[in-house]
DNA sequence: TTTTATCAATTGAGTAGTAAAGTGATAGTA
DNA sequence: TACTATCACTTTACTACTCAATTGATAAAA
């Protein structure tokens, strides 16, 4: 039918996993009234706050337009605040956002950990982590070119 | 700061890789006048044609509403055709779609293969493929529950 | 001083994903 | 015959992503 290479098969597997895990994650996060994308942004903010929008966009590998709109929504819902300082808006979590991210993070962690533990041994996980790190760093480098 | 498990770190790595590889793929596919999502659908159609919409949605793990709109666009651009047979629409590629998918597939294959080859040895790729397959099959099973 | 460049953020148009409600034809049942 | 269920698909309303054009303020140059 159609010839493939090991590389393209890996690519396909990862794509499938990601798609499916996103469905699972979204379903899981629904109980917290938050989407996967929103969780990612809140998580980044909690790590780097106070952070300017453009920097946050780069950290989350999202376009500036995208971050602008997401933050507008997150601000409306009271999870983050934007402090305008000259032309820069400094983003940080509100206490509501702080509480939300803490709560979700605990559950999310348990959820992801259990899925991995259910199908891979600790050694396998170590190997997978090592290989995925190599691969991810490489695409990161490719993107910067 | 924030505690993590091996499982959650793997999850994060894969998410990052996927996000970045999507950016790369989209950029790459732009020269063929097609998006990543469209390529995925055309690829599935080429494998399973003639296929009904709902089945295609399941194969691509996309909602029925989503597939409906995507197919409308792909039909407008002349890549696929929908033949109504009672209440079912049978999807297949036009010759234009057939040519496009062939052309893109060759390049896409070379592109993905080279990225993997640039950072992992053949043995590492074999291991990664094995581990990712385990993980993906597991989430697939989880989704069906 | 006025003009121009630059920079951070926003906005507009387009694609893509979801859930949920709506369509329209057929099949089964009262 | 009429009523209801079901099924495949479409539509609507929403979030989220892209790129490209725009805004608005300040810094640098004429």
């Amino acid at each position: 039918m159609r010839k493939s290479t090991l590389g393209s098969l890996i690519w396909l597997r990862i794509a499938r996993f990601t798609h499916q895990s996103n469905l699972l994650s979204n379903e899981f996060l629904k109980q917290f009234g938050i989407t996967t994308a929103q969780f990612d942004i809140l998580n980044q903010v909690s790590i780097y706050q106070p952070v300017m929008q453009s920097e946050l966009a780069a950290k989350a590998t999202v376009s500036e337009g995208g971050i602008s709109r997401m933050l507008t929504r997150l601000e409306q819902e009271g999870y983050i605040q934007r402090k305008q300082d000259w032309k820069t808006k400094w983003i940080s979590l509100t206490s509501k956002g702080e509480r939300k991210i803490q709560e979700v993070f605990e559950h999310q962690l348990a959820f992801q950990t259990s899925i991995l533990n259910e199908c891979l041994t600790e050694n396998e996980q170590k190997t997978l982590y090592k290989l995925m790190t190599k691969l991810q760093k490489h695409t990161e480098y490719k993107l910067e070119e």
Side-chain angles (χ1 to χ4, degrees), chain A residues 16 50 63 72 78 82-83 104 108 115 126:
Chain A
R16 283 216 179 291
S63 69
T72 302
R82 303 201 248 198
K83 280 206 182 114
V104 178
Q108 174 90 313
I115 286 199
K126 277 184 188 160

Side-chain angles (χ1 to χ4, degrees), chain A residues 26-34 100 107:
Chain A
N26 267 321
E27 200 174 317
F28 169 78
L29 287 176
K30 204 179 286 171
Q31 63 188 297
F32 301 102
I34 212 176
K100 177 62 77 174
H107 290 84

Side-chain angles (χ1 to χ4, degrees), chain A residues 28 31-32 102-112:
Chain A
F28 169 78
Q31 63 188 297
F32 301 102
Q102 263 312 323
E103 179 196 7
V104 178
F105 192 82
E106 307 288 335
H107 290 84
Q108 174 90 313
L109 190 78
F111 171 72
Q112 295 175 346

